Amino acid sequence: MDWASDSIQKVEKTRAERMKQAPPVLSDADKDELLREFHPDFVGMKRPVRVGPNADDQEFPNELADLLEADSPLPEDFQPRADIETDVLIIGGGGAGVSAALALEGSGLTVHLATKLRLGDSNTVMAEGGIQAALGPEDSPRRHFADALAGGHGKNDPALLRALCEAGPSAIDWLTGLGCMFDQNPEGSFRLRSGGGTSTPRVLACRDYTGLEIMRVLRDALVQGSANLLEHHSAVELLDNGQGLTSGAVFWNSKTRRWVTVSARAVLLATGGSGRLHFQGFPTSNHFGATGDGLILAYRQGCPLVHAHTFQYHPSGTSYPEALVGQLVTESIRSIGAQLLNKDGEQFVEELTFRDVVASAIIREVVEGRGVKTPTARRGVWLDTPMIELKSGEGTIRRQFPGLIHRFERYGIDPAKQPILVYPTLHYQNGGVSIDSDGSAGNVGLWAAGEVTGGLHGTNRLMGNSLLDITVFGRRAAESIKNNLPKREALTLAALARFREELKSLDHKSSETSPILFPKESGMKLEIDAGEGAGTKTETSSAQQETTSYEPPDPFSRPA
Amino acid sequence: MTPNKVNISISGKTVQASEGETIVRALWAAGLGGLVEVGCAGGVCGACTVTLRFSDGRPGGTDLACMRAVEEGMQIFPCPVETQPVPAPQTDPTAEKIRAAFPTLDRCTKCGSCTTACPMSIPVMDSVLRMQSENFEAVAEDFTTCIHCGLCRFVCEDKVKPHHMGMWVRRSLGMSRDSDLLGAGAPPDSFSEKDAEKEWDWLLTADPDERLRRATSFRETGRL
């Protein structure tokens, strides 16, 4: 990082002094102003959608609004006929879907779990910092609730949030019983850390690979169970019985390039987030498949979205080297003492306040000309990782954050010795499909769990609450499905037909189809093989014609 | 600033790429997105395994296409690894139990291919030897960063399954941990249920603004 040596020298020079310094603390009014002036949710490009259950009632980022108003890739004359009949269809192979499938073991129900990529390819596997549960001596589920509600700006659905916080300890017990190994203190108890916005230590972790640990254990348990796996099956449409009851789904098998229709008595939507839509041109820490498919599917069934105009921009996405741009640097790095600094080596924000505030403060530094510019014209601020070694002893970073070291060492950067450059990265879909505390999406036959849902986290999620969300609500939805299993219903595309009628009223139609299934930057497309079966025309989605090598430019890194 | 261009080849097909970008991004830009499978694009799912060769004679090897930057003359070959059924973990693991679950454990000839193949720098072969001698805590530590890409199993000529065994050891140990000692399960609540319910009643007040004010003040002490 020779190109930044002047600035790094300033960081090194001020380090000893800063060790003794308290961070600048913002008043609540200052935080509100910072969010209003710099957070992408407030200043980004957005517009209302004109069709569907949220028509004209709120604004969505343009990228999402375009997809909500887009047509389905299914041919007009598609006739759904069941290729597979099952009791429970789970759509999504991440933490929420797999937790649900495990909770259905032993129920006697036939379960099919469909996933667009491979089992476990998800945002879950990429989560680093940890999972919250009220297990500390000064803690309680009520305190957990209060922290998350304050972090979510009071917008959280209180019933959902209470269910989450009360289930924290038992969720950890469940994961431990499956074999998850969370980090321990020397005497053997769980090590609990603070996270941004926790008022007492509450975050359990497995180094900086917590999501990987949880996902690989869940996946291992699942493949030893009885659920039927449908890998490389992308859901493109939900089916209903003609009277608003969900009865199955149509998939596109990306290996055979054919449609596959599944009839199910219950459908659980666990399709995750949408960071790969690159709202406002931001890079993302999300996995390859995070294209918001579930939002689109539920929306066409008439399910309203809640808080789906708010997204979490994680304060510390990698800004250099180019190959790692957007990748997460866990919040735990700040929990154990690394400061955020501008190009002059000055601290500008309290590192452990809420994520949206920290991200906005970083954007402000950059917009006002106090950021660092990389050789590829990206911008960022320093995360002073060597401070951790000074505070907690040499070797701490390597021991506790092997993932961070492994990624940066490839590119000749040693975070134990050099600060790393970070900038907010699109990380989490705060809102989504509205559910009740049993995971029901309000449409008989349809349940939803995990990142695809909204309400639980309000408009800003705390670190460690999403891994808890998927384990708690995946299993709650499964319990509810067991107890309220509808009977098998007819397969129709009535909801889609209604939606298509609505689309006809629009003056300007979107040229895209949705869900897009693959991120635009990949250039990959939904293609149907000519041959027998339904929808025999060769179809190419118009959604992904343009390919770009780099992420789109970030409008917030405009010069001062 | 426009990045410099380099020439790489994928399965024998030459394409131009931008210096500094990953193999995955280079393939996307070249319209060859489907050639190498991608799961996370962040180095933790193990989908994008490839083998590499270099035109300057340096030894090639295996890596993750989403983490490796392209360079001039790099030759890339997709190397997807199929998943396999795995035996279930068992509480209180022993050398005898792991040998029963994985009969090929002792076939290891210490060639070291697995260690060389691992994109996460896990000392795989050493860890297999530790499995043989029941040094399970060390094995669990070794496999902390395992992404189950399967390359160690793929390159093993003797059908040893290091990453499956690593998972078996970790889950078996994890399941055997003392839940009481960990503090898992029960919140450290000395409060009676009635008092807890009082706190909930206060926090769950119907007025959203008041609810936020109460939550904010409750955070300070964690008590009413």
Side-chain angles (χ1 to χ4, degrees):
Chain A
M1 286 194 288
D2 294 343
W3 49 272
S5 55
D6 287 356
S7 182
I8 292 180
Q9 268 174 20
K10 286 180 190 162
V11 169
E12 287 170 349
K13 208 181 282 173
T14 56
R15 193 173 287 143
E17 194 54 37
R18 281 185 285 107
M19 294 276 290
K20 297 171 247 163
Q21 233 171 57
V25 175
L26 295 173
S27 70
D28 286 350
D30 290 344
K31 285 179 186 169
D32 282 347
E33 194 186 334
L34 187 60
L35 290 174
R36 273 200 311 278
E37 287 186 16
F38 293 98
H39 196 279
D41 281 353
F42 291 88
V43 296
M45 308 277 280
K46 52 191 173 176
R47 66 172 177 88
V49 292
R50 296 159 295 171
V51 293
N54 289 104
D56 301 315
D57 78 349
Q58 59 176 284
E59 293 187 312
F60 296 94
N62 290 357
E63 296 86 349
L64 179 57
D66 289 349
L67 298 184
L68 288 172
E69 288 181 351
D71 197 357
S72 167
L74 271 189
E76 290 277 357
D77 59 355
F78 185 87
Q79 298 290 331
R81 271 188 295 270
D83 298 302
I84 295 171
E85 278 198 357
T86 189
D87 291 326
V88 184
L89 172 64
I90 298 171
I91 307 177
V98 178
S99 294
L102 288 173
L104 289 164
E105 280 294 330
S107 65
L109 300 174
T110 305
V111 176
H112 278 72
L113 186 145
T115 171
K116 178 162 70 176
L117 303 168
R118 305 169 315 155
L119 179 64
D121 292 345
S122 57
N123 283 345
T124 302
V125 79
M126 306 185 81
E128 296 182 5
I131 177 168
Q132 286 203 31
L135 292 167
E138 305 293 320
D139 212 353
S140 71
R142 278 89 60 206
R143 193 168 197 174
H144 187 174
F145 176 95
D147 284 346
L149 192 89
H153 303 288
K155 301 289 200 302
N156 320 50
D157 179 321
L160 292 181
L161 186 56
R162 178 179 181 174
L164 178 86
C165 298
E166 288 196 312
S170 63
I172 298 301
D173 202 32
W174 182 70
L175 289 170
T176 304
L178 287 170
C180 283
M181 301 181 89
F182 297 110
D183 294 340
Q184 294 163 284
N185 292 315
E187 81 283 2
S189 59
F190 284 132
R191 191 197 59 210
L192 301 172
R193 278 206 191 109
S194 296
T198 64
S199 60
T200 184
R202 188 183 300 126
V203 182
L204 293 90
C206 172
R207 312 302 156 85
D208 55 349
Y209 282 115
T210 314
L212 172 63
E213 170 68 352
I214 290 175
M215 192 69 244
R216 65 191 172 192
V217 165
L218 293 177
R219 181 177 54 201
D220 199 61
L222 186 82
V223 297
Q224 287 157 15
S226 64
N228 304 285
L229 262 183
L230 300 169
E231 291 183 305
H232 305 290
H233 279 61
S234 303
V236 293
E237 209 62 60
L238 294 176
L239 297 167
D240 61 282
N241 71 344
Q243 279 127 33
L245 310 186
T246 305
S247 56
V250 181
F251 294 88
W252 174 66
N253 179 330
S254 57
K255 293 292 176 191
T256 64
R257 304 184 171 214
R258 300 288 177 89
W259 303 118
V260 177
T261 300
V262 179
S263 156
R265 296 170 65 186
V267 177
L268 172 61
L269 205 53
T271 50
S274 55
R276 289 273 161 190
L277 298 181
H278 296 294
F279 303 117
Q280 321 299 349
F282 270 77
T284 184
S285 59
N286 281 186
H287 84 290
F288 181 60
T291 51
D293 304 357
L295 300 180
I296 311 294
L297 299 185
Y299 198 69
R300 289 199 195 127
Q301 290 294 313
C303 300
L305 307 181
V306 55
H307 303 151
H309 59 299
T310 78
F311 294 86
Q312 184 160 74
Y313 295 78
H314 193 292
S316 50
T318 307
S319 196
Y320 182 86
E322 186 65 27
L324 299 181
V325 164
Q327 287 202 20
L328 188 62
V329 176
T330 175
E331 186 162 308
S332 304
I333 298 276
R334 280 175 279 136
S335 303
I336 69 165
Q339 293 175 347
L340 287 165
L341 309 167
N342 62 23
K343 69 172 181 187
D344 298 316
E346 297 160 348
Q347 211 180 355
F348 54 87
V349 69
E350 179 192 354
E351 280 82 4
L352 282 183
T353 185
F354 301 118
R355 279 181 176 172
D356 51 358
V357 175
V358 180
S360 302
I362 293 172
I363 292 171
R364 178 172 65 184
E365 291 303 294
V366 164
V367 167
E368 294 181 350
R370 295 183 298 275
V372 178
K373 193 173 166 188
T374 75
T376 46
R378 294 189 187 274
R379 288 153 203 266
V381 297
W382 296 114
L383 180 62
D384 196 9
T385 43
M387 280 189 89
I388 295 173
E389 301 281 281
L390 292 179
K391 282 185 176 171
S392 307
E394 217 170 294
T396 304
I397 294 188
R398 189 165 288 274
R399 264 196 315 280
Q400 298 199 12
F401 304 101
L404 178 83
I405 295 282
H406 185 77
R407 281 198 300 280
F408 279 84
E409 264 184 348
R410 282 174 172 267
Y411 296 97
I413 297 167
D414 180 357
K417 297 199 173 71
Q418 296 161 283
I420 54 183
L421 200 66
V422 298
Y423 190 68
T425 184
L426 198 46
H427 186 58
Y428 191 78
Q429 176 177 290
N430 290 322
V433 179
S434 175
I435 55 166
D436 67 17
S437 53
D438 287 326
S440 168
N443 176 338
V444 179
L446 184 64
W447 282 258
E451 191 171 350
V452 71
T453 68
L456 172 63
H457 302 294
T459 55
N460 176 60
R461 177 179 64 79
L462 295 195
M463 166 187 189
N465 273 350
S466 58
L467 286 177
L468 184 59
D469 175 0
I470 56 177
T471 37
V472 169
F473 282 95
R475 291 185 301 144
R476 282 183 83 93
E479 289 306 318
S480 173
I481 287 171
K482 268 193 263 186
N483 298 330
N484 304 284
L485 191 69
K487 61 184 198 307
R488 190 170 306 283
E489 296 281 348
L491 299 177
T492 81
L493 283 165
L496 175 62
R498 261 199 315 278
F499 185 80
R500 279 175 162 162
E501 274 307 307
E502 265 196 87
L503 282 183
K504 284 181 187 160
S505 68
L506 295 183
D507 305 333
H508 304 288
K509 282 202 190 68
S510 170
S511 60
E512 300 186 277
T513 61
S514 66
I516 64 170
L517 309 183
F518 300 112
K520 290 187 180 179
E521 69 261 28
S522 76
M524 289 167 66
K525 296 167 185 156
L526 183 157
E527 286 165 341
I528 290 296
D529 263 1
E532 75 276 25
T536 51
K537 285 180 303 200
T538 298
E539 291 267 332
T540 302
S541 152
S542 59
Q544 303 110 346
Q545 280 165 356
E546 302 220 333
T547 69
T548 48
S549 153
Y550 286 95
E551 313 280 354
D554 170 2
F556 293 95
S557 52
R558 62 187 183 264
Chain B
M1 218 178 297
T2 323
N4 295 327
K5 294 290 176 187
V6 294
N7 293 299
I8 59 172
S9 84
I10 170 84
S11 301
K13 185 175 178 175
T14 302
V15 294
Q16 251 197 358
S18 300
E19 193 168 39
E21 70 183 345
T22 60
I23 297 170
V24 161
R25 286 209 161 268
L27 295 182
W28 288 351
L32 299 172
L35 270 189
V36 171
E37 186 148 2
V38 178
C40 72
V44 289
C45 83
C48 62
T49 42
V50 291
T51 61
L52 302 173
R53 285 202 305 197
F54 304 99
S55 53
D56 60 7
R58 266 177 301 150
T62 49
D63 210 340
L64 302 174
C66 73
M67 294 300 288
R68 184 67 172 243
V70 293
E71 54 178 282
E72 181 62 35
M74 181 185 256
Q75 298 173 24
I76 303 148
F77 305 91
C79 180
V81 181
E82 294 292 318
T83 51
Q84 272 189 349
V86 286
Q90 296 174 40
T91 48
D92 305 315
T94 60
E96 202 176 307
K97 287 182 185 172
I98 194 173
R99 284 194 168 89
F102 296 93
T104 58
L105 172 61
D106 293 314
R107 281 167 61 171
C108 172
T109 57
K110 303 181 198 160
C111 73
S113 299
C114 49
T115 303
T116 310
C118 178
M120 303 305 285
S121 312
I122 295 171
V124 185
M125 187 194 81
D126 293 343
S127 200
V128 169
L129 302 181
R130 289 193 260 278
M131 293 173 199
Q132 293 174 351
S133 59
E134 210 182 287
N135 189 359
F136 287 155
E137 288 293 340
V139 171
E141 181 65 31
D142 294 334
F143 280 88
T144 303
T145 61
C146 177
I147 59 172
H148 294 274
C149 65
L151 281 171
C152 55
R153 171 168 55 86
F154 184 79
V155 299
C156 181
E157 292 186 350
D158 298 294
K159 305 276 183 257
V160 183
K161 301 170 178 175
H163 73 105
H164 286 329
M165 297 193 295
M167 172 57 89
W168 186 93
V169 169
R170 281 186 65 87
R171 280 192 69 196
S172 297
L173 283 182
M175 287 161 55
S176 312
R177 280 180 170 181
D178 178 352
S179 187
D180 290 338
L181 180 65
L182 289 167
D189 218 336
S190 52
F191 256 37
S192 71
E193 260 177 51
K194 207 174 116 211
D195 291 336
E197 211 47 53
K198 246 186 236 162
E199 292 187 346
W200 279 123
D201 284 347
W202 189 75
L203 284 166
L204 289 167
T205 175
D207 172 15
D209 293 333
E210 178 60 19
R211 192 157 64 227
L212 179 56
R213 269 193 294 279
R214 289 184 183 184
T216 306
S217 79
F218 192 84
R219 296 178 68 225
E220 285 170 19
T221 58
R223 290 288 176 232
L224 284 180

